[in-house]
Amino acid sequence: MSQSIFHQTVLCQTQTVAEHQSKVSSFALGVNKGKNPLLSTNFRGNRLCVRKRKLVMGRHRHVDAIPRAVLTTNLASELSGKFNLDGNIELQVGVSSSVPGAATQVDIKVSYNSDSLLLHWGVVRDQPGKWILPSHSPDGTKVYKNRALRTPFVKSDSGSFLKIEIDDPAAQAIEFLILDEAKNKWFKNNGQNFHIKLPVKNKLSQEVSVPEDLVQIQAYLRWERKGKQMYTPEQEKEEYEAARRELLEKVARGTSVQDLRAKLTNKTNAAEVKETSVSEAETSVSEAEKPSVSEAEKPSVSEAKTIPDELVQIQAYIRWEKAGKPNYSQEQQLMEFEEARKELLAELEKGASLDEIRKKIIKGEIQTKVAKQLKTKKYFRAERIQRKKRDLMQLINRNVAESIDEKFIDAPAPKASTVIEHYANAREEYESGLVLNKEIYKLDDNDLLVLITKDAGKIKVHLATDSKKPFALHWALSRTSEEWLVPPATALPPGSVTMNEAAETPFKAGSLSHPSYEVQSLDIEVDDDTFKGMPFVIQSDGKWMKNNGSNFYIEFGGKKQIRKDFGDGKGTAKFLLDKIAEKESEAQKSFMHRFNIASDVIDEAKNAGQLGFVGILVWMRFMATRQLIWNKNYNVKPREISKAQDRLTDLLQDVYASYPQYRETVRMILSTVGRGGEGDVGQRIRDEILVIQRKNDCKGGMMEEWHQKLHNNTSPDDVVICQALIDYINSDFDIGVYWKTLSDNGITKERLLSYDRAIHSEPNFRRDQKEGLLQDLGNYMRTLKAVHSGADLESAISNCMGYKSEGQGFMVGVQINPVPGLPTGFPELLEFVMEHVEDKNVEPLLEGLLEARQELRPSLSKSQSRLKDLLFLDVALDSMVRTAVERSYEELNNAGPENIMYFIYLVLENLALSSDDNEDLIYCLKGWDLALSMCKSKDTHWALYAKSVLDRTRLALTNKAHLYQQILQPSAEYLGSLLGVDRWAVEIFTEEIIRAGSAASLSTLLNRLDPELRKTANLGSWQVISPVETVGYVEVVDELLAVQNKSYERPTILIAKSVKGEEEIPDGTVAVLTPDMPDVLSHVSVRARNSKVCFATCFDPNILANLQENKGKLLRLKPTSADVVYSEVKEGEFIDDKSTHLKDVGSVSPISLARKKFSGRYAVSSEEFTGEMVGAKSRNISYLKGKVASWIGIPTSVAIPFGVFEHVLSDKSNQAVAERVNILKKKLIEGDFSALKEIRETVLQLNAPSQLVEELKTKMKSSGMPWPGDEGEQRWEQAWKAIKSEKTFIILVWGSKWNERAYFSTRKVKLDHDYLSMAVLVQEVINADYAFVIHTTNPSSGDSSEIYAEVVKGLGETLVGAYPGRALSFICKKRDLNSPQVLGYPSKPIGLFIRQSIIFRSDSNGEDLEGYAGAGLYDR
């Protein structure tokens, strides 16, 4: 049931009704776990939905019942005080009460006229000096800092007047001051508050009472009027009792209970009741809305004897509760409602009155005939929300930051270095020892350098200043930061004088190591390594100089060793990271300093773009993971920290609103920073711990040490410490539990001792302190989280929904108002989330979390003052999804594919909602939606289709991880080096960022589902691309590309983690096994089949890991069309093995090339294509004309035939180019392979003969192709010379003869490279919807009776090029082409489309040769 006692309806009772008078539940949003719920007409599960009265949340209308400030020209009331204010100004105060029990009226008259006169006031109950803010106040009243009310006076001719009604029976006095706001002038009572006693009200007669259901209605209306805030249990009880007092007052004034009920439930036509601070509810129910009862079911009592619906609802709830809170259908709910009515009518027939029935219900004495059901999973399911149907395409974000490669970051002009900065750099170079610490302090207009080094086991302290005044160092040594110890005699420089706990040493002019610098310096050597630092101050001309009012303190090992190999900062906002590193010594002082520095660099981050905010993210992340010092020798108040946080988060919310392309990065920054808050929120950390100590008698030991830490430097560690204390108390004071909670969250004994205010002791509480401490520490946790844990779900919800914490004595109160403009029903949605946050079955929770994020999403795109609270809530909901999914892993071990697919859908949706550029993720989400639908409908292809979506989702995750690595890691490397961050923390930085989000959970779920899909779809663990049985030695490599030019001396089976699709297969390789999925028709696949090399994809990571473990061993591979069987072979068996011939593969080339000659023609049309003029690519295009269906486009083509390149090269205009090419070819023959690149670059200098231009122009135009020159001379130059270095132009195609891959490939099969001739196929590019390749023999099985086809969307480049993902593939028997068998659905995320264009393609005589895969080696 709901954790809100006013959820859905108030015509009901809490728990079993008998608990009403002793227990009050929360009527705020239920974020406090373990709260007892209220009866609702909704039964959880499918809910008991009766047609209920209109008294439901969100449907109340407010009645103008607020008392107004009125003019009281006639003070007829009893005069309670007369005062003189500031000379001739007179104040009169009168107090009266019209009837006993009625509200007290206070009349105030001031002989002073001002438009800005205010009464600053509150009432006092039983604690003198503590102001209570009444729930009723005159119009225009405002709450001031949650401490007082401010009400404007009403002007008249003779002064200003005010009337206040106080209906709080516990109020003993009113206290106030008068303020002229415009003049900031206060009127006081001799420097004190005005204190006016109120008449003591007689206690209401014990016999006067009101029914509990009416108290609930009144309390609900109060809660609704106050904005549905979140209350503590104490506040809930206080509000409940305040509602009771209001109703008792009305009874005391003569209103009957029946009239109260009629007015509250609107059952009569009586006039509307105008009550103070109460919103009247509409509760009329038409006869048509009441549940219908058949004649047979009607009770045999008089029609006058009817049971009110609210009593039926209570009884229905009691029945439902006794039955074990089952999950009723709507029909069952209505039946239960009528059964409850029958039970009450039976009591009525026995002669009981309605009041007697009501009492029986409260005592639980109405007999019910229900059997408690078993709460087993078999009969029950968790309650779920009904998710809204949404157009997934509306979730697409295309907020993409500018490319790092394209972004040029202008660093601000560097400031001129000071004398001391120059000196410090020179001194650092001079020192031979290790630099341990370096600080430069400001001393008025001068600088002070302190440099700590270690050499030959000694600590050396070097101080220098550019001041001209005489300086003396007043110093000591310390083993902790607090103490001053007299230095040993061996450490005292000449001229030193010792005194009480310190020494004094004068600076000397100049520096022995750097005499050219005009400085004063001082050197100290310490050979006792037990000293950890040096406190000091400077004395000059009788003046003491300190560090911002505190002693200076330098740690001997204060900084981690800084590496000097931090690189050039490429791929980072280097100037910003340098500045951050420079400011780190200041940032280490406290969180206040760090957050203020971060705020100061926000504008520079904006100028640097995405990399600027990445720099801040890396810095804040290093802080959050405790890689940086949180506090050093500086005391700071919690409110100062929260104020600095507030400033930073305000700036970040502005960036989020104004720069959509940086939102994902800003979200990650916010997740490392607490929310903060102005003033009172942080101050409560300081105050509330004192209250806890005082209330629970725990002022010494660990609690006092923690109190000192909290007062001087609170941090996120305090959240962990508080939780550890709560766990310790809950475990019946098991100290091991305390240390476990600390350890699990990264806090060790050493860390506790490292605080400036160290925690030495363990907690040690008495058993009688247990309940009080649990309650107070639980409340304190909310205060700590409000400052330090912005992404904590409970805290984030509280900040958005609003809450109020009362002050106690000196402790300030806090009131956070609800964020305005939230979607309708959003509070109930968050309530649902918190009700289920610890459920073992997390599916309903995930649905609630994601529905909340979807509902919140529109608000995140709007700029408003409370945007950061919504962002923290969204981050918290995001984080809870990951937490819940990780909790579900064990349960999912036995789950079916459909359940896992649904979890994948939810987690993917979560990831998409957190990503800036999420288009690919949304398409994957659509794919999973369809896969789930296919699975539910028992579609025979569901698993095959789901496998393709799974593959595409993996690609999307890989791309996201690659993007994170590209954007984040360089900044982590550079800044980590500058700050001396542990190397391991730097190396895993990006990996940990990914693990902290949904991507890691999603990857885990995909890995669980993959084998299930492969099994269901009969895909097996392998896809065999080239089924060749072989024997070889296992080698493991990261990338096939890295070894493609290598030659193995023995038959080698390569296990390659990455195969893109365009690589060469190295010499000596007999098999390539990979987890990657290149297309069956990719270049590497074709080369493997033509070279008789076994090539297969392994989908099972366990099998692949086992193969890798066989590194160096001799294995035999026996592939089939769908599997690879492998076994170890002994060396002796291999000698006579049939695979030994593989050692000699390629020793004699079975293929050769014939030299082609220039035919005398520079261009030919497709009708003129012959084997002597063009290659197979051109001839196949010509052959297909007229032989395929009309819907298959054949591109219009012409060609520059064989021999033209050589003829152009021999032209007189290109003589210099020809000579240079010949020289470079000789270098190539001699083994200098760098000549390949030089030849390509030289070929680009060729000039085009005019005859070539004219013939090509004529052929293209006569074939109906556009001529590039028609667009201008520059366009032809692009086509010829490839000015833009594109890969599809004429000279570049010719030059590709000398590509490294092409050259080494021909050498491998001993083709004469000089005989290689290059034609250029010129084609008009068809803007295709789909492209495909068909093999007339199945390449995987060698079956010539069937075709094998692969289809992609858009141009075919994604099919034959190295584009990730798989194409749609199918086989089909040639005898039955109408019955294709789909082998795999597409998973390629990219489709290529192009406007009308021309492409220049390679067409050599070395392509499409039988037994040699030459296609794709050249540019096209």
Side-chain angles (χ1 to χ4, degrees):
M1 295 297 291
S2 168
Q3 292 179 0
S4 167
I5 69 165
F6 300 108
H7 182 62
Q8 298 296 328
T9 180
V10 294
L11 299 179
C12 44
Q13 306 288 352
T14 59
Q15 294 288 57
T16 54
V17 182
E19 294 179 17
H20 261 313
Q21 299 182 10
S22 62
K23 188 168 187 177
V24 181
S25 292
S26 168
F27 49 90
L29 180 65
V31 299
N32 296 319
K33 302 180 185 71
K35 293 289 187 295
N36 291 312
L38 170 82
L39 166 65
S40 163
T41 55
N42 287 330
F43 280 18
R44 297 302 187 188
N46 282 342
R47 301 171 176 242
L48 172 68
C49 298
V50 300
R51 293 190 177 274
K52 52 195 173 192
R53 301 178 182 274
K54 294 180 182 178
L55 185 57
V56 292
M57 293 172 66
R59 296 182 60 184
H60 307 289
R61 57 185 180 87
H62 294 274
V63 177
D64 185 8
I66 305 297
R68 301 181 180 277
V70 297
L71 188 65
T72 55
T73 54
N74 179 22
L75 284 177
S77 57
E78 177 187 347
L79 186 64
S80 295
K82 188 173 183 180
F83 309 88
N84 288 320
L85 309 179
D86 198 16
N88 297 325
I89 301 174
E90 185 177 87
L91 167 68
Q92 294 183 7
V93 183
V95 178
S96 64
S97 183
S98 58
V99 295
T104 300
Q105 180 173 305
V106 180
D107 296 289
I108 303 174
K109 178 180 179 181
V110 187
S111 60
Y112 179 85
N113 245 331
S114 171
D115 290 327
S116 58
L117 199 64
L118 299 173
L119 188 74
H120 182 87
W121 64 288
V123 300
V124 178
R125 290 181 181 170
D126 54 353
Q127 295 185 33
K130 180 183 178 182
W131 285 17
I132 302 299
L133 307 187
S135 58
H136 306 158
S137 55
D139 275 354
T141 300
K142 294 182 179 178
V143 177
Y144 178 74
K145 292 189 175 180
N146 202 35
R147 299 175 183 173
L149 299 178
R150 284 186 173 179
T151 304
F153 278 83
V154 179
K155 287 176 59 178
S156 73
D157 293 337
S158 59
S160 302
F161 305 90
L162 191 61
K163 180 182 79 172
I164 298 173
E165 288 188 354
I166 300 174
D167 63 353
D168 183 353
Q172 298 178 5
I174 179 173
E175 286 193 358
F176 62 88
L177 300 169
I178 297 175
L179 168 66
D180 187 339
E181 192 172 30
K183 298 180 180 179
N184 195 25
K185 184 176 181 179
W186 291 89
F187 297 100
K188 299 183 179 181
N189 184 18
N190 296 321
Q192 303 295 320
N193 298 337
F194 292 100
H195 183 93
I196 304 297
K197 291 184 178 180
L198 302 177
V200 178
K201 298 189 178 184
N202 295 326
K203 291 187 178 180
L204 294 171
S205 169
Q206 296 293 326
E207 298 176 1
V208 178
S209 64
V210 290
E212 290 298 318
D213 61 322
L214 298 187
V215 177
Q216 287 184 342
I217 296 173
Q218 186 76 349
Y220 171 80
L221 296 175
R222 287 173 58 86
W223 174 67
E224 187 183 57
R225 181 184 65 80
K226 291 185 176 184
K228 302 180 181 179
Q229 297 180 19
M230 189 181 311
Y231 293 140
T232 64
E234 292 77 13
Q235 291 169 326
E236 294 163 8
K237 188 170 183 178
E238 202 172 277
E239 280 292 306
Y240 197 82
E241 292 307 316
R244 187 192 304 280
R245 285 196 300 271
E246 288 176 349
L247 297 183
L248 287 173
E249 290 256 353
K250 298 181 191 308
V251 173
R253 293 177 201 164
T255 304
S256 69
V257 173
Q258 288 74 15
D259 286 344
L260 277 181
R261 181 179 302 282
K263 291 170 183 177
L264 285 176
T265 60
N266 200 24
K267 288 183 68 174
T268 71
N269 294 322
E272 293 180 343
V273 182
K274 292 190 176 182
E275 303 171 12
T276 57
S277 74
V278 174
S279 299
E280 187 173 39
E282 299 173 349
T283 59
S284 61
V285 179
S286 67
E287 290 302 316
E289 289 177 309
K290 294 180 181 178
S292 60
V293 182
S294 67
E295 290 299 321
E297 293 172 324
K298 289 182 181 178
S300 59
V301 295
S302 166
E303 288 186 5
K305 293 183 178 182
T306 58
I307 302 295
D309 277 354
E310 65 266 26
L311 295 184
V312 178
Q313 289 169 343
I314 296 170
Q315 185 65 12
Y317 170 76
I318 293 173
R319 288 178 55 83
W320 174 73
E321 192 176 53
K322 287 185 176 181
K325 302 181 180 179
N327 188 48
Y328 287 141
S329 66
Q330 289 188 1
E331 294 77 10
Q332 289 172 315
Q333 292 167 22
L334 291 173
M335 289 172 60
E336 280 295 304
F337 195 80
E338 293 310 318
E339 287 298 320
R341 188 187 300 278
K342 288 180 183 178
E343 290 175 347
L344 298 185
L345 285 171
E347 294 293 325
L348 200 61
E349 285 183 329
K350 294 176 184 177
S353 67
L354 288 179
D355 284 342
E356 289 172 337
I357 291 175
R358 189 183 306 278
K359 290 177 182 178
K360 284 188 174 184
I361 292 175
I362 291 174
K363 295 178 180 179
E365 294 177 354
I366 304 293
Q367 292 186 359
T368 61
K369 298 178 181 179
V370 293
K372 191 163 185 175
Q373 301 182 34
L374 294 174
K375 291 186 179 181
T376 64
K377 204 180 240 186
K378 183 175 180 181
Y379 300 105
F380 289 82
R381 64 176 177 84
E383 175 201 357
R384 331 179 73 92
I385 59 163
Q386 185 66 41
R387 294 209 61 187
K388 294 180 181 177
K389 295 290 184 182
R390 293 180 174 88
D391 180 3
L392 294 177
M393 300 305 290
Q394 297 302 312
L395 301 180
I396 291 179
N397 288 329
R398 294 189 177 93
N399 300 323
V400 184
E402 63 275 20
S403 168
I404 293 175
D405 295 333
E406 297 172 3
K407 176 73 177 176
F408 181 77
I409 301 171
D410 288 318
K415 295 184 296 183
S417 297
T418 65
V419 171
I420 285 297
E421 286 172 341
H422 277 299
Y423 175 81
N425 293 334
R427 180 75 192 196
E428 240 185 296
E429 293 295 326
Y430 170 81
E431 292 288 351
S432 59
L434 177 68
V435 176
L436 298 179
N437 207 344
K438 182 178 83 169
E439 298 287 355
I440 296 179
Y441 301 100
K442 291 298 293 183
L443 298 176
D444 296 332
D445 296 329
N446 301 106
D447 294 328
L448 173 67
L449 165 70
V450 185
L451 182 67
I452 310 294
T453 59
K454 188 170 186 178
D455 191 18
K458 291 185 177 182
I459 298 294
K460 295 185 177 181
V461 183
H462 179 78
L463 300 96
T465 178
D466 57 343
S467 175
K468 306 299 183 186
K469 299 177 183 178
F471 268 29
L473 180 73
H474 186 82
W475 62 289
L477 296 174
S478 69
R479 293 186 174 89
T480 70
S481 60
E482 297 295 318
E483 61 185 352
W484 283 62
L485 302 175
V486 178
T490 56
L492 295 173
S496 298
V497 177
T498 59
M499 52 194 68
N500 184 28
E501 296 183 345
E504 198 162 286
T505 307
F507 279 68
K508 292 184 178 181
S511 168
L512 295 176
S513 59
H514 298 282
S516 61
Y517 288 98
E518 296 181 3
V519 298
Q520 302 180 65
S521 66
L522 175 61
D523 288 285
I524 299 171
E525 289 190 2
V526 181
D527 57 7
D528 184 347
D529 60 6
T530 64
F531 292 114
K532 303 302 180 185
M534 186 179 86
F536 66 93
V537 293
I538 301 293
Q539 189 181 49
S540 178
D541 291 342
K543 176 184 176 183
W544 292 102
M545 306 176 77
K546 294 189 174 185
N547 183 20
N548 295 322
S550 301
N551 297 332
F552 292 98
Y553 185 83
I554 188 79
E555 290 186 31
F556 292 160
K559 287 188 178 179
K560 298 174 183 177
Q561 181 180 349
I562 297 177
R563 296 184 300 278
K564 306 224 173 165
D565 58 341
F566 42 73
D568 58 2
K570 184 178 180 181
T572 74
K574 181 178 182 297
F575 74 90
L576 181 61
L577 299 186
D578 288 338
K579 182 171 184 177
I580 288 172
E582 178 186 330
K583 296 285 187 180
E584 177 59 27
S585 59
E586 180 76 5
Q588 289 178 353
K589 291 180 179 179
S590 73
F591 280 116
M592 178 191 73
H593 291 82
R594 188 177 298 280
F595 294 143
N596 281 332
I597 292 170
S599 297
D600 292 341
V601 300
I602 288 291
D603 284 339
E604 292 175 65
K606 292 177 186 176
N607 295 333
Q610 184 182 34
L611 291 180
F613 291 105
V614 164
I616 294 177
L617 167 62
V618 170
W619 187 36
M620 292 292 104
R621 177 78 180 180
F622 281 150
M623 172 206 72
T625 55
R626 302 189 178 98
Q627 287 297 314
L628 303 178
I629 296 172
W630 284 3
N631 169 240
K632 187 170 72 174
N633 308 320
Y634 197 96
N635 296 334
V636 61
K637 300 179 180 67
R639 61 181 173 83
E640 294 172 333
I641 294 176
S642 66
K643 184 176 180 180
Q645 283 176 300
D646 201 46
R647 178 190 172 204
L648 175 58
T649 51
D650 277 346
L651 290 170
L652 288 172
Q653 80 169 359
D654 292 342
V655 172
Y656 185 93
S658 303
Y659 299 87
Q661 66 271 35
Y662 307 144
R663 285 178 176 172
E664 190 169 348
T665 307
V666 170
R667 281 172 54 88
M668 289 191 280
I669 297 173
L670 285 171
S671 70
T672 67
V673 182
R675 179 193 180 278
E678 184 74 34
D680 295 344
V681 176
Q683 184 62 28
R684 276 187 72 96
I685 290 180
R686 198 175 167 98
D687 295 345
E688 200 169 340
I689 188 64
L690 290 171
V691 173
I692 292 172
Q693 288 182 281
R694 184 184 64 196
K695 283 178 62 178
N696 296 281
D697 189 24
C698 52
K699 296 181 180 180
M702 178 267 171
M703 288 295 283
E704 179 58 27
E705 292 168 353
W706 187 34
H707 157 224
Q708 291 300 323
K709 177 196 178 301
L710 289 161
H711 268 227
N712 290 283
N713 252 298
T714 183
S715 71
D717 280 2
D718 295 315
V719 177
V720 179
I721 293 171
C722 187
Q723 187 61 57
L725 288 172
I726 292 171
D727 293 346
Y728 160 68
I729 298 169
N730 274 324
S731 67
D732 200 25
F733 306 102
D734 183 346
I735 196 65
V737 172
Y738 169 78
W739 285 112
K740 184 178 187 304
T741 299
L742 292 178
S743 177
D744 289 348
N745 291 276
I747 298 180
T748 61
K749 290 183 181 180
E750 291 72 23
R751 183 165 182 83
L752 294 176
L753 294 173
S754 72
Y755 301 140
D756 275 6
R757 297 292 190 272
I759 298 178
H760 300 271
S761 308
E762 293 181 333
N764 185 17
F765 302 131
R766 303 187 307 271
R767 294 196 177 276
D768 63 309
Q769 297 171 304
K770 182 174 182 177
E771 294 304 321
L773 279 171
L774 282 176
Q775 179 174 337
D776 291 344
L777 287 173
N779 292 334
Y780 191 45
M781 179 68 88
R782 183 165 70 177
T783 300
L784 291 170
K785 286 182 175 180
V787 174
H788 296 303
S789 305
D792 173 76
L793 183 57
E794 186 172 341
S795 177
I797 291 176
S798 298
N799 280 319
C800 287
M801 296 299 101
Y803 69 91
K804 181 178 178 181
S805 294
E806 295 286 355
Q808 295 185 36
F810 61 85
M811 183 174 69
V812 298
V814 171
Q815 177 164 336
I816 303 296
N817 294 321
V819 175
L822 291 174
T824 303
F826 193 64
E828 290 78 15
L829 189 54
L830 294 181
E831 182 181 14
F832 173 90
V833 166
M834 293 310 300
E835 284 175 355
H836 294 78
V837 78
E838 292 183 349
D839 287 359
K840 185 175 181 181
N841 177 14
V842 302
E843 193 173 303
L845 171 62
L846 291 175
E847 292 172 339
L849 289 166
L850 287 162
E851 189 65 19
R853 292 199 68 192
Q854 291 276 19
E855 288 289 289
L856 191 60
R857 183 173 174 269
S859 301
L860 298 179
S861 60
K862 302 173 185 175
S863 180
Q864 61 151 301
S865 60
R866 298 285 299 279
L867 176 60
K868 68 180 180 183
D869 286 327
L870 300 181
L871 287 172
F872 277 121
L873 175 57
D874 190 56
V875 170
L877 292 167
D878 179 5
S879 178
M880 182 54 68
V881 170
R882 178 182 60 83
T883 302
V885 171
E886 290 175 353
R887 197 168 74 230
S888 72
Y889 286 161
E890 184 177 350
E891 185 179 347
L892 286 176
N893 283 336
N894 300 317
E898 184 179 340
N899 282 358
I900 301 176
M901 286 165 61
Y902 185 53
F903 268 70
I904 288 172
Y905 179 91
L906 295 174
V907 178
L908 180 58
E909 179 184 359
N910 192 60
L911 181 61
L913 289 171
S914 303
S915 301
D916 282 345
D917 183 14
N918 66 0
E919 187 170 9
D920 197 20
L921 297 174
I922 294 299
Y923 281 113
C924 291
L925 197 62
K926 288 187 68 176
W928 285 112
D929 190 41
L930 178 56
L932 277 164
S933 177
M934 293 171 67
C935 180
K936 290 175 182 176
S937 64
K938 309 298 182 184
D939 189 299
T940 55
H941 280 212
W942 76 264
L944 197 60
Y945 178 77
K947 180 65 169 71
S948 72
V949 182
L950 183 147
D951 292 341
R952 179 168 181 175
T953 307
R954 273 185 173 152
L955 283 173
L957 290 181
T958 300
N959 292 338
K960 191 167 185 67
H962 176 74
L963 181 65
Y964 272 20
Q965 188 75 21
Q966 180 187 21
I967 292 173
L968 302 181
Q969 196 61 29
S971 293
E973 296 278 349
Y974 185 72
L975 186 60
S977 295
L978 290 177
L979 300 181
V981 173
D982 290 337
R983 188 64 197 162
W984 65 266
V986 171
E987 290 173 347
I988 67 170
F989 181 86
T990 302
E991 180 183 342
E992 288 301 305
I993 288 281
I994 294 171
R995 287 183 184 279
S998 293
S1001 302
L1002 182 56
S1003 180
T1004 300
L1005 292 172
L1006 294 175
N1007 290 339
R1008 292 198 178 194
L1009 181 62
D1010 195 351
E1012 292 290 331
L1013 294 181
R1014 285 190 280 107
K1015 179 180 178 181
T1016 305
N1018 298 313
L1019 293 176
S1021 299
W1022 294 87
Q1023 180 184 25
V1024 180
I1025 299 170
S1026 176
V1028 178
E1029 184 177 343
T1030 190
V1031 176
Y1033 294 90
V1034 175
E1035 289 292 334
V1036 180
V1037 297
D1038 288 330
E1039 296 180 328
L1040 182 60
L1041 183 65
V1043 296
Q1044 67 175 350
N1045 295 327
K1046 186 174 180 179
S1047 293
Y1048 291 98
E1049 295 180 356
R1050 59 183 186 176
T1052 300
I1053 298 172
L1054 281 181
I1055 313 292
K1057 297 175 185 176
S1058 172
V1059 175
K1060 299 300 182 186
E1062 289 199 329
E1063 300 91 340
E1064 279 296 309
I1065 296 176
D1067 284 346
T1069 302
V1070 297
V1072 177
L1073 308 178
T1074 178
D1076 259 345
M1077 297 178 292
D1079 290 300
V1080 173
L1081 301 177
S1082 66
H1083 299 307
V1084 70
S1085 299
V1086 174
R1087 290 182 201 119
R1089 288 192 293 269
N1090 287 347
S1091 301
K1092 306 303 179 188
V1093 171
C1094 179
F1095 186 30
T1097 295
C1098 180
F1099 298 114
D1100 191 325
N1102 295 322
I1103 294 176
L1104 200 67
N1106 183 259
L1107 281 165
Q1108 290 170 336
E1109 290 172 0
N1110 284 283
K1111 182 178 179 180
K1113 295 181 180 178
L1114 187 62
L1115 296 185
R1116 172 179 282 110
L1117 304 181
K1118 290 185 175 182
T1120 64
S1121 60
D1123 196 11
V1124 175
V1125 178
Y1126 58 94
S1127 58
E1128 189 172 354
V1129 178
K1130 295 181 181 179
E1131 290 285 346
E1133 297 176 10
F1134 182 53
I1135 297 175
D1136 297 323
D1137 192 276
K1138 62 182 180 180
S1139 297
T1140 56
H1141 72 279
L1142 290 168
K1143 296 179 181 179
D1144 301 320
V1145 167
S1147 60
V1148 178
S1149 176
I1151 55 176
S1152 61
L1153 296 176
R1155 187 188 294 274
K1156 302 294 183 180
K1157 297 180 181 180
F1158 177 54
S1159 64
R1161 302 171 67 180
Y1162 286 97
V1164 292
S1165 64
S1166 60
E1167 292 79 12
E1168 299 169 303
F1169 290 173
T1170 67
E1172 291 302 314
M1173 289 190 174
V1174 295
K1177 193 181 297 180
S1178 300
R1179 298 198 307 275
N1180 289 338
I1181 290 292
S1182 177
Y1183 176 78
L1184 286 173
K1185 279 193 171 183
K1187 296 182 174 64
V1188 295
S1190 60
W1191 53 268
I1192 299 177
I1194 303 296
T1196 305
S1197 308
V1198 299
I1200 300 173
F1202 292 141
V1204 174
F1205 165 67
E1206 290 79 6
H1207 188 71
V1208 170
L1209 187 62
S1210 65
D1211 190 87
K1212 289 182 179 180
S1213 63
N1214 294 315
Q1215 183 176 350
V1217 176
E1219 290 173 355
R1220 178 64 178 161
V1221 168
N1222 286 330
I1223 292 171
L1224 292 172
K1225 286 170 70 175
K1226 289 179 182 178
K1227 286 178 62 177
L1228 189 59
I1229 293 172
E1230 293 169 358
D1232 185 353
F1233 300 126
S1234 65
L1236 289 168
K1237 182 179 180 183
E1238 293 183 72
I1239 293 175
R1240 294 197 302 274
E1241 292 172 349
T1242 303
V1243 168
L1244 292 178
Q1245 307 306 314
L1246 284 172
N1247 295 310
S1250 59
Q1251 189 177 351
L1252 183 151
V1253 177
E1254 288 303 317
E1255 285 194 26
L1256 183 59
K1257 179 178 179 180
T1258 300
K1259 288 294 182 184
M1260 288 180 68
K1261 287 196 166 187
S1262 64
S1263 299
M1265 297 174 65
W1267 170 245
D1270 289 343
E1271 300 177 38
E1273 185 177 346
Q1274 183 183 8
R1275 186 63 172 158
W1276 161 251
E1277 287 295 321
Q1278 290 177 356
W1280 172 254
K1281 289 191 175 181
I1283 291 173
K1284 293 185 179 179
S1285 298
E1286 296 183 24
K1287 295 186 177 180
T1288 54
F1289 302 135
I1290 297 170
I1291 304 179
L1292 207 60
V1293 172
W1294 282 341
S1296 69
K1297 173 180 176 178
W1298 285 276
N1299 274 347
E1300 281 78 5
R1301 286 194 302 131
Y1303 181 77
F1304 290 116
S1305 180
T1306 55
R1307 275 170 51 99
K1308 187 184 300 183
V1309 294
K1310 295 181 171 51
L1311 286 175
D1312 190 333
H1313 190 260
D1314 272 347
Y1315 279 28
L1316 186 75
S1317 295
M1318 185 69 70
V1320 179
L1321 176 60
V1322 185
Q1323 290 182 312
E1324 187 174 8
V1325 179
I1326 294 176
N1327 189 14
D1329 295 316
Y1330 298 93
F1332 59 88
V1333 175
I1334 297 177
H1335 278 237
T1336 54
T1337 296
N1338 187 336
S1340 296
S1341 64
D1343 188 347
S1344 60
S1345 69
E1346 60 188 16
I1347 62 169
Y1348 177 91
E1350 289 190 329
V1351 186
V1352 294
K1353 197 166 178 59
L1355 299 179
E1357 181 66 17
T1358 59
L1359 180 57
V1360 297
Y1363 285 81
R1366 301 295 298 275
L1368 171 66
S1369 59
F1370 64 89
I1371 57 173
C1372 189
K1373 292 296 182 181
K1374 293 177 181 178
R1375 65 176 181 271
D1376 187 10
L1377 294 177
N1378 291 322
S1379 302
Q1381 177 188 345
V1382 176
L1383 300 180
Y1385 285 92
S1387 60
K1388 287 184 180 292
I1390 296 173
L1392 297 180
F1393 302 88
I1394 193 170
R1395 61 183 175 84
Q1396 184 181 29
S1397 184
I1398 298 294
I1399 185 171
F1400 299 85
R1401 305 179 63 192
S1402 64
D1403 190 23
S1404 74
N1405 61 342
E1407 299 179 53
D1408 296 324
L1409 298 175
E1410 187 69 31
Y1412 173 62
L1417 292 174
Y1418 311 97
D1419 288 325
R1420 59 196 190 282

